[in-house]
Amino acid sequence: MRRGGLVVVVVLAGLLVSACDKRQGLLAEQRGTAERPAAASSAAKPAPAWRLADTPRTTPTSVLWDVVATDRTHAWAVGHQSAEPGGDGVPIVQRWDGATWSPEELPGVTWRGGLRLVAADGPDNVWAVGGSAGADPAHTTTHVLHYDGTAWTEVPFPPGNKPGNTHVTDLAVAGGHTWLIGDQGGKVGVHEFDGQAWQQRTPPAECTQDGVSYGGMPTFCDFTGIVAFAPDDAWVAGNAAWPGFKGPLLFHWDGTAWTPVKVGLNNADTAFSEIAGRPGDLWAVGHTAGYGGPVAVHGDGKTWQVIEGLPTARLTDLVVDRAGHPWVLENFTAPSATLATYRDRRWVDTRAPAPPDTVGISLHGITTVPGTSDMFAVGDVDLPGEPRMLGTVLLAYRG
């Protein structure tokens, strides 16, 4: 029995030692784990910012005037390039596939000039507008191109089939419909492609009535910027004067007619130039006469608020990002460009990054990338030396 008891004691002692060793090993492992730095779960992501993007090589002088994106892997930038300063050049299109920008083929495009506007409602419905200048700069031939997901083709545009005084100021696409707005012989010009043919739309009655406005100014309307959400829901920015009214205002298209929408700035020498937003959440920006002080308004389509604080600069384009913040392109005379956004009740300016060894930068077009917080902006940079040479520039924002 004593030997049996000794066996029990030895076994118990062994178990105690084993337990002690396991506990000490666990403590040592815990200490070692605590002393080792935690492995990074993923690579650090860069903070949201505007950065230079790699673009295809172009010949001087070259400019990108506008850009549009339809999703993460489809975007287009348009402009022109020339082999010599002051030349009329040829139109160019650059395409984003989600990884790189590359030049697009434009079969059948033999005219001299450039593309200034681009808009789309999907990767297989992209529209671009430009023109070729004649001997008189006031008389141009408007050219309209369409991309169906496979190739670019020119679409006959009745007012632009021959040199004339039609001046297209903006372009919008939504629900398979395309709008071109601008000036046609000193009067408002609105053309809508309904999927089959171009239709010329009647301007608001206020724009064509007889009489004069404040100060004896003749009745007129200007359509300068457009955003469309559906075939029966489009908004235009501009200004007008008719008996009893003068100032900046918006116009709404309901699928049948245009209706002027006043924003509370009556009898003001101010014009809106750009409009952007979402249904029920609109922004418009512009200038006082002669590109003086800027003006910005925000509203839901019925009530409007003037937003102060934009610096005095030439405002060339406007978008509203995924979070609902507006972004405005500002060009100064240096030339230098900034991108201003409105958040926390104030405008915040970001200086546009420019390539090294360039004299200045100007920005002309900006777009959001649907479904993301990303954006693209395009323009040109001044290259050193004489005569003045320009090069294309494209900025990317990773939100």
Side-chain angles (χ1 to χ4, degrees), residues 100-394:
T100 58
W101 288 91
S102 58
E104 286 272 79
E105 295 287 339
L106 298 178
V109 176
T110 59
W111 46 269
R112 307 287 293 180
L115 297 169
R116 297 187 69 94
L117 301 167
V118 64
D121 64 358
D124 58 355
N125 191 31
V126 187
W127 293 77
V129 177
S132 54
D136 181 356
H139 293 77
T140 63
T141 302
T142 300
H143 294 275
V144 180
L145 304 184
H146 179 249
Y147 181 75
D148 63 2
T150 302
W152 288 92
T153 56
E154 185 155 357
V155 177
F157 178 57
N161 285 340
K162 58 183 179 179
N165 54 3
T166 296
H167 177 56
V168 176
T169 56
D170 207 359
L171 161 72
V173 183
H177 287 231
T178 303
W179 291 266
L180 296 181
I181 62 167
D183 180 271
Q184 190 171 351
K187 298 180 180 180
V188 167
V190 181
H191 297 268
E192 180 184 357
F193 188 81
D194 60 9
Q196 301 295 325
W198 289 105
Q199 308 292 336
Q200 185 166 359
R201 300 305 182 191
T202 303
E206 291 86 347
C207 301
T208 58
Q209 63 182 305
D210 295 329
V212 296
S213 65
Y214 292 102
M217 181 180 293
T219 295
F220 77 92
C221 287
D222 282 338
F223 280 13
T224 51
I226 184 171
V227 61
F229 307 117
D232 60 354
D233 188 12
W235 291 80
V236 162
N239 69 316
W242 57 70
F245 176 80
K246 179 182 72 173
L249 76 166
L250 307 178
F251 303 85
H252 181 248
W253 173 256
D254 63 3
T256 303
W258 293 97
T259 302
V261 179
K262 299 178 182 180
V263 297
L265 294 172
N266 196 8
N267 197 23
D269 289 324
T270 303
F272 289 133
S273 58
E274 311 294 337
I275 184 170
R278 301 172 289 192
D281 183 19
L282 292 164
W283 287 82
V285 298
H287 308 83
T288 57
Y291 288 105
V295 61
V297 298
H298 179 219
D300 59 6
K302 297 180 180 179
T303 59
W304 305 91
Q305 178 185 6
V306 176
I307 307 297
E308 305 285 355
L310 272 175
T312 300
R314 184 160 185 164
L315 312 178
T316 55
D317 206 358
L318 163 73
V319 294
V320 175
D321 67 17
R322 190 178 188 181
H325 300 130
W327 286 83
V328 182
L329 299 185
E330 304 168 329
N331 288 318
F332 299 88
T333 56
S336 63
T338 61
L339 303 103
T341 184
Y342 187 80
R343 59 186 68 212
D344 300 327
R345 299 176 179 266
R346 66 188 184 96
W347 291 100
V348 179
D349 278 351
T350 300
R351 188 174 181 85
D357 301 325
T358 57
V359 180
I361 181 172
S362 299
L363 295 177
H364 309 301
I366 185 172
T367 186
T368 57
V369 179
T372 77
S373 298
D374 300 344
M375 292 178 282
F376 292 113
V378 298
D380 60 80
V381 290
D382 276 63
L383 305 175
E386 293 291 341
R388 185 187 184 199
M389 308 282 275
L390 302 176
T392 59
V393 67
L394 196 150

Side-chain angles (χ1 to χ4, degrees), residues 30-90:
Q30 291 175 340
R31 285 195 301 270
T33 302
E35 292 168 358
R36 291 194 301 268
S41 59
S42 62
K45 295 181 179 180
W50 288 97
R51 297 177 175 86
L52 291 168
D54 291 330
T55 57
R57 183 180 298 275
T58 55
T59 60
T61 296
S62 55
V63 178
L64 291 176
W65 289 106
D66 202 8
V67 61
V68 68
T70 59
D71 53 47
R72 294 175 184 268
T73 59
H74 295 88
W76 292 264
V78 302
H80 76 271
Q81 65 178 353
S82 175
E84 58 184 19
D88 50 6
V90 295

